[in-house]
Amino acid sequence: FYNCVNLSEIAVPDSALYLGKYAFYNCTSLLTASIGISVPEINEYTFYNCTSLKTVVIGIDVACIGDYAFYNCALTRVTTPNTLIKIGKYAFALNKDLTRVSLKTKIETIDDGAFKGCSLLATINWPSSISYIGSHAFEECESLTSVIIPVLVTEINAFAFASCTSLENVTINGSITYIGNYAFYNTALVEYDFGNVLEYIGNNAFERTNLVSITLPDTVDYIGRNAFVHCSSLNYISIPDGVSFVGSYAFYYNDSNLHADIRYVSGVVSPRLFYHSSIRSVTMDDNIYEIGDYAFAYCYNLLNIHFSNELLIIGNYAFYQNREYVELTLPNKLDKIGSYAFSMNYKLNKLNIPDTITIVGEHAFYSDYLYHPEITIEIYFVDGIVDQGLLDSQDMYHIIVDNFIHT
């Protein structure tokens, strides 16, 4: 019946054992369809582009609905049989009149793009049997307001709920370890429970959401590029120190008063942890002893820094091109300041450093002086000894040494 554009109704008899691919492809006048009780599978493209199809009765033996089976139809409601295990790729995509989906208790897989572009879909139940939700599965389901992720699901794949612009609530019943690229892009999420086993957050995963605060677990190892960019209400982050990779602009264009708490896990603030971010203030747990290279580089909005009391090392370019703070006091156990660590800081005119420092990298305090102030370095008393040649070849004009320093 391929391309039978005048066909308006079809009833597949109970005696039928097979419903082939493309069987009713592009039957654009088809209004209703019923599928007999003996058909085990609705194959790929079976009702593809049946743009008038509003009602379908799915047989009670169907275990699989194939890829693109009901793509671009006019279905308003879908009820699956108890036997259904899998919904294939883009099976119900672009059913723009679909408002409700009722899934039964044996379903395991909702494959890629299964309900993509179902813009009126507002209600769907989430059986605990579901173990896989594919990429793009519910992308652009603009009327969906809440989602329950079943206990067996461990990954939220790329674009799974992207541009679900009404989505405010996500309940996680299981243990999510992976959130893919753009998974919740452009949703209305105000809060999200990241759990305690999450390892991976993909590029743009939460871009343009309404998140106010986030607490990332100690297990997080990867935060992709632009992961939380344009979250304009985001004002608080709690993050472990040892994230192995953080992409550029992961935290950018957020609330102008964004505060970050960096929790002790490894003792080292990862390189580039807040590279090119919008943070306004940061507090580091005590027992953090090192700040990695570029950790706070290009944080143009950073004003207040509370260092760990145990800090020993500040890496290369760690605070490069910060533009807001005027004065800083570094903690009294510090041993090393890396190259260009405080270079090109627009407003910094005084830096208080302890006499415990033994290494200062090249151009650590460099300023071009045309656009930046001349920095005054004041060395304060801890041990009373300043290492020979400590500030040799540094770019500065003013050094103050504490009166109690004797050597």
Side-chain angles (χ1 to χ4, degrees), residues 243-284:
V243 182
S244 294
F245 178 87
V246 181
S248 297
Y249 304 100
F251 303 97
Y252 205 61
Y253 292 118
N254 306 131
D255 187 281
S256 60
N257 291 311
L258 176 61
H259 176 77
D261 281 338
I262 303 177
R263 305 191 311 274
Y264 169 81
V265 177
S266 68
V268 179
V269 175
S270 294
R272 304 172 70 96
L273 183 65
F274 282 105
Y275 180 87
H276 240 311
S277 78
S278 298
I279 58 170
R280 186 66 166 173
S281 58
V282 61
T283 299
M284 303 175 209

Side-chain angles (χ1 to χ4, degrees), residues 21-328:
K21 300 176 184 178
Y22 302 90
F24 302 99
Y25 183 100
N26 202 42
C27 294
T28 54
S29 297
L30 190 63
L31 298 172
T32 64
S34 62
I35 298 166
I37 61 173
S38 301
V39 174
E41 180 178 3
I42 300 172
N43 269 296
E44 301 168 14
Y45 297 91
T46 300
F47 294 95
Y48 181 95
N49 204 44
C50 293
T51 54
S52 300
L53 181 62
K54 292 183 177 294
T55 304
V56 63
V57 178
I58 300 173
I60 60 172
D61 269 359
V62 171
C64 177
I65 296 174
D67 299 348
Y68 295 90
F70 293 96
Y71 181 89
N72 198 29
C73 295
L75 297 174
T76 59
R77 182 168 179 169
V78 170
T79 300
T80 64
N82 292 325
T83 51
L84 188 69
I85 295 173
K86 179 181 178 180
I87 296 175
K89 296 175 181 177
Y90 298 90
F92 293 97
L94 290 183
N95 277 256
K96 295 185 176 181
D97 296 324
L98 185 63
T99 61
R100 185 180 185 91
V101 173
S102 178
L103 303 175
K104 298 299 170 57
T105 56
K106 287 188 178 180
I107 189 164
E108 297 175 1
T109 299
I110 300 174
D111 217 333
D112 299 349
F115 294 96
K116 180 180 177 179
C118 296
S119 55
L120 295 181
L121 179 60
T123 305
I124 183 168
N125 65 312
W126 301 91
S128 59
S129 56
I130 296 173
S131 60
Y132 180 80
I133 298 173
S135 301
H136 304 272
F138 295 92
E139 184 180 0
E140 297 174 354
C141 291
E142 298 170 354
S143 299
L144 200 61
T145 60
S146 63
V147 166
I148 299 173
I149 306 297
V151 66
L152 297 178
V153 174
T154 60
E155 297 184 354
I156 299 174
N157 285 297
F159 293 88
F161 298 97
S163 294
C164 293
T165 52
S166 299
L167 182 61
E168 295 181 350
N169 300 301
V170 175
T171 301
I172 308 293
N173 283 343
S175 297
I176 301 297
T177 60
Y178 175 96
I179 298 174
N181 298 343
Y182 293 89
F184 293 103
Y185 168 84
N186 194 30
T187 64
L189 282 178
V190 175
E191 59 182 1
Y192 182 89
D193 183 357
F194 290 89
N196 56 16
V197 295
L198 182 65
E199 298 172 1
Y200 185 101
I201 299 173
N203 299 339
N204 307 80
F206 291 89
E207 179 182 350
R208 298 187 184 276
T209 62
N210 296 329
L211 291 172
V212 175
S213 68
I214 61 174
T215 298
L216 302 178
D218 294 349
T219 52
V220 168
D221 191 56
Y222 184 103
I223 300 173
R225 185 183 66 250
N226 298 327
F228 297 93
V229 73
H230 288 292
C231 296
S232 58
S233 298
L234 184 62
N235 59 38
Y236 177 77
I237 301 167
S238 177
I239 188 170
D241 58 16
V243 182
S244 294
F245 178 87
V246 181
S248 297
Y249 304 100
F251 303 97
Y252 205 61
Y253 292 118
N254 306 131
D255 187 281
S256 60
N257 291 311
L258 176 61
H259 176 77
D261 281 338
I262 303 177
R263 305 191 311 274
Y264 169 81
V265 177
S266 68
V268 179
V269 175
S270 294
R272 304 172 70 96
L273 183 65
F274 282 105
Y275 180 87
H276 240 311
S277 78
S278 298
I279 58 170
R280 186 66 166 173
S281 58
V282 61
T283 299
M284 303 175 209
D285 269 0
D286 280 340
N287 298 320
I288 289 176
Y289 61 86
E290 182 175 348
I291 297 173
D293 297 347
Y294 294 91
F296 300 95
Y298 299 100
C299 290
Y300 299 142
N301 196 44
L302 184 57
L303 178 63
N304 297 307
I305 305 169
H306 180 79
F307 293 100
S308 163
N309 291 328
E310 303 298 319
L311 189 63
L312 300 175
I313 300 171
I314 295 176
N316 301 328
Y317 294 88
F319 295 93
Y320 182 79
Q321 281 223 24
N322 291 178
R323 297 182 177 181
E324 289 297 318
Y325 47 80
V326 175
E327 181 175 349
L328 277 182

